[in-house]
Amino acid sequence: MSSKLIDLENIESPVKSPIIESTVDFIRKIYGDGAIPLHRPIFDGNEKAYLSDCIDSNFVSSAGAKVFEFEDKVASFTGAKHAVAVVNGTNALQVALLVAGVNAGDEVITQALTFVATCNAISYAGANPVFIDVDKDTVGMSPASLREFLEGNAFRKGGQAFNKSSGKRIKACLPMHTFGLPCRIQEISDICKEWGIHLVEDAAESLGSFYGKRHTGTFGLLGAISFNGNKIITTGGGGMLLTDDDQLAKRAKHITTTAKIPHKYEFWHDEVGFNYRLPSLNAALGVAQMEQLHWMLEMKERVAREYCEFFSSIGWQMVHPLQNCKSNNWLNAIVLGNQKERNAFLEYTNEKNIMTRPIWRLMSELEMFKHCQNDGLKNSKWLEERVVNLPSSVPNEFK
Ligand SMILES: *Cc1c(COP(=O)(O)O)cnc(C)c1O
């Protein structure tokens, strides 16, 4: 991957160059004047009506039909057999790992190039992350790096995988579909099966993204989606677990609803559970948002197409989904030539009130995950220095 260098000689202080300025003009042409956020929610459907239903019926909290309706809608859209709503995407990941059997002292393989919630969820389960490199094209976990790591650093015993250096069980693998771009999930799934490692997908950013014909988050034992305010659709805050496994779905529902044994009036709980139930108010928003998802995805595709045409005309590199995949185009991203160019671009655009932001810092650089094993993370470091997200909301004029 390469991109045409910005003419750094011509970048003055405050940073500018003709090519960055033409990018700013292009973004202004799409989004108009004023401050341009990275991603804003759209409430153009039945949001207010469904919220009123909740208030009028007194079902605003964790009981009521809206939660089940929302779960059904997400299950049928994604093709997952079960969907279990929870208060946010981080908790969805935490519970997914828990019901997949991840315990204190286990190891979970993930990518260092991700949002911190992925690794926080692993920590909540008492497990340690192990960081594997990503592919440059998908910005998601590299199956080649995963295989290489396992062959060099793990051994099998009784159909399970163990880390040679720590002696600990590698219980799960948690890849992430970055910005909605599906990673090579089928290959990752095959490797996990060979090694007896449970696959759990962080599909927080990828509602509406498909690998082949199959929705992301449905390749593993479980997947997790987020409905935070900046995601493709939002419930204010919210998350969803996906699984085809009847028992795991039942257990996820049970432990996220205080582990209460259903009974007309008795309070009986059979383990330490969580109060992670999604309130009806949030689910009402979710039902309305799901009704607009198809339209939203079409509009997001239009934005991505326009960016793509513009950047190919100036010779800059965008991140594109793999040929056999469909991205939800949640956040558009460009790959700049080097860190200096990236900084110049971020500086200039943000100064112009256009919100652009760099990809996350590697988890392996954060204090709490510094000690965790990694495989060198060559591509992750390369991308960390170059990738920038662009404003990606559905523009008003598209509606
Ligand atoms: C948003 C996000 C989460 C967490 O979702 P919340 O609903 O904010 O808790 C987890 N992983 C990734 C990759 C995300 O982008």
Side-chain angles (χ1 to χ4, degrees), residues 323-387:
Q323 204 109 70
N324 61 335
C325 294
K326 189 179 166 328
S327 170
N328 65 2
N329 298 296
W330 175 51
L331 287 185
N332 292 284
I334 44 170
V335 186
L336 291 164
N338 55 47
Q339 191 159 20
K340 203 167 160 196
E341 268 191 28
R342 181 203 82 152
N343 293 346
F345 184 81
L346 286 168
E347 220 21 78
Y348 189 70
T349 47
N350 280 288
E351 197 198 319
K352 293 278 179 196
N353 256 330
I354 294 174
M355 189 175 174
T356 58
R357 68 170 193 202
I359 198 166
W360 313 279
R361 299 301 301 269
L362 299 189
M363 293 301 108
S364 51
E365 290 165 19
L366 303 184
E367 199 53 45
M368 56 282 195
F369 302 120
K370 255 185 191 156
H371 65 282
C372 300
Q373 190 176 8
N374 72 65
D375 70 352
L377 307 172
K378 195 161 151 268
N379 294 339
S380 307
K381 287 175 182 163
W382 191 91
L383 290 162
E384 180 192 27
E385 291 180 352
R386 291 167 176 80
V387 174

Side-chain angles (χ1 to χ4, degrees), residues 94-95 98 254-259 271-277:
Q94 178 195 358
V95 172
L98 219 89
H254 185 61
I255 63 171
T256 55
T257 54
T258 71
E271 64 177 301
V272 177
F274 302 95
N275 181 13
Y276 285 172
R277 291 171 290 196

Side-chain angles (χ1 to χ4, degrees), residues 118-168:
T118 315
C119 298
N120 284 342
I122 295 170
S123 304
Y124 300 160
N128 265 319
V130 172
F131 298 118
I132 296 292
D133 207 6
V134 295
D135 282 327
K136 273 189 188 173
D137 54 0
T138 66
V139 198
M141 186 181 285
S142 161
S145 300
L146 174 62
R147 183 178 291 286
E148 194 184 322
F149 176 84
L150 290 170
E151 283 172 0
N153 300 278
F155 65 92
R156 291 183 184 83
K157 206 175 84 185
Q160 301 176 344
F162 293 85
N163 189 322
K164 272 184 198 167
S165 57
S166 66
K168 294 189 166 157

Side-chain angles (χ1 to χ4, degrees), residues 129 312 317 375:
S312 41
Q317 185 71 48
D375 70 352

Side-chain angles (χ1 to χ4, degrees), residues 299-314:
M299 294 303 110
K300 298 280 292 177
E301 198 176 317
R302 202 171 136 193
V303 175
R305 215 179 312 123
E306 298 219 359
Y307 268 128
C308 178
E309 278 166 22
F310 172 75
F311 285 117
S312 41
S313 78
I314 63 168

Side-chain angles (χ1 to χ4, degrees), residues 192-259:
C192 288
K193 281 200 183 107
E194 277 173 44
W195 281 85
I197 295 171
H198 297 314
L199 176 62
V200 178
E201 291 170 77
D202 185 342
E205 305 181 353
S206 66
L207 177 65
S209 299
F210 293 79
Y211 181 98
K213 294 239 175 306
R214 205 156 145 195
H215 196 279
T216 52
T218 66
F219 285 77
L221 201 52
L222 299 123
I225 300 177
S226 165
F227 305 106
N228 189 33
N230 64 343
K231 297 294 195 310
I232 187 146
I233 64 164
T234 186
T235 57
M240 195 78 84
L241 281 113
L242 305 178
T243 185
D244 285 343
D245 187 300
D246 300 343
Q247 287 310 313
L248 294 183
K250 209 171 147 192
R251 181 154 158 71
K253 194 63 164 179
H254 185 61
I255 63 171
T256 55
T257 54
T258 71

